[in-house]
Amino acid sequence: MASPNVVIGNESVRGDAIVTKVHQDIAFLTDRLGRLESQANPNPQVLKVYRDMLESRYAVLEWINTH
């Protein structure tokens, strides 16, 4: 069964499409963080931005799963 639509602004978006996109974002950010952390001298500000973005995506996913 497809998940219900979510209205964002004036646009109706399928809920399962949002979940798919959030999972893609999490995979990308996890990979990117791994690559950055493996550098000899990663930029701590860039790492923080990516970690914050990853935390935000997990929060969105948790919100979707509980509502």
Side-chain angles (χ1 to χ4, degrees):
M1 182 172 138
S3 52
N5 287 359
V6 177
V7 177
I8 301 173
N10 294 326
E11 185 177 349
S12 180
V13 181
R14 286 183 24 208
D16 54 348
I18 294 172
V19 170
T20 298
K21 175 63 174 135
V22 171
H23 279 291
Q24 290 171 346
D25 288 354
I26 288 171
F28 169 80
L29 292 167
T30 300
D31 178 67
R32 188 70 182 129
L33 270 168
R35 290 173 187 261
L36 288 169
E37 290 169 340
S38 70
Q39 292 178 351
N41 191 16
N43 184 322
Q45 293 150 330
V46 173
L47 286 172
K48 181 179 180 342
V49 168
Y50 277 99
R51 286 184 185 127
D52 290 348
M53 290 169 62
L54 184 58
E55 182 180 332
S56 172
R57 295 319 185 276
Y58 275 118
V60 168
L61 191 59
E62 182 180 340
W63 181 85
I64 289 170
N65 288 332
T66 59
H67 291 86

